[in-house]
């Protein structure tokens, strides 16, 4: 064939065109699924995954008299990626006449660690002057809301705190 000669193009029949269109479409869907599948799985996993809690026994019931607050540290096991680890955590337990409340020790302003003063029945944040009453409500300072609490229960003479893992 010479360089000057033109090549004749043979038109594809409609059946072959349709088949090629379907093949290109299927290839595009496979490529898009390969890329989008993991991305959507990553984005949607917090919605699908249910957070589970672990009831952790932290104190004998008789060790917390009514009207008293006590700082209690405890450890619990959790799965961190592929490792099983032990985490240490602290709560302030307060016994009321009808219930026991576990207050999170982090100030709701910036997360600084609060301290309880028994003589004043107040939780104080040393960072920015946040003050909470013995019910965990904001009394003074910049915290936007009261102290966070963890669910508690009393069973078989033990006080349990539900720790989300």
């Amino acid at each position: 064939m010479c360089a000057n000669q033109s090549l004749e193009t043979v038109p594809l029949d409609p059946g072959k065109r349709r088949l090629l269109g379907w093949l290109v479409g299927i290839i595009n869907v496979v490529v898009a699924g390969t890329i989008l599948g993991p991305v959507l799985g990553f984005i949607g996993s917090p919605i699908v995954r249910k957070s589970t809690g672990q009831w952790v026994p932290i104190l004998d019931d008789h060790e917390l008299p009514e009207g008293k607050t006590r700082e209690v540290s405890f450890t619990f096991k959790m799965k961190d990626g592929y490792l099983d680890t032990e985490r240490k955590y602290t709560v302030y337990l307060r016994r009321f006449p009808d219930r026991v409340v576990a207050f999170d020790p982090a100030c709701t302003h910036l997360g600084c660690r609060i301290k309880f003063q028994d003589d004043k029945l107040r939780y104080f944040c040393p960072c920015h002057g946040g003050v909470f009453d013995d019910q965990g409500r904001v009394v003074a300072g910049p915290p936007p809301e009261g102290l966070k609490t963890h669910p508690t229960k009393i069973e078989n003479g033990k006080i349990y705190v539900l720790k989300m893992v």
Side-chain angles (χ1 to χ4, degrees), residues 1 6-17 20:
M1 212 190 284
S6 65
L7 294 173
E8 274 188 44
T9 58
V10 178
L12 292 174
D13 66 53
K16 288 182 181 177
R17 246 178 228 270
L20 286 175

Side-chain angles (χ1 to χ4, degrees), residues 44-51:
S45 67
I47 296 168
V48 174
R49 181 180 16 166
K50 294 178 181 168
S51 60

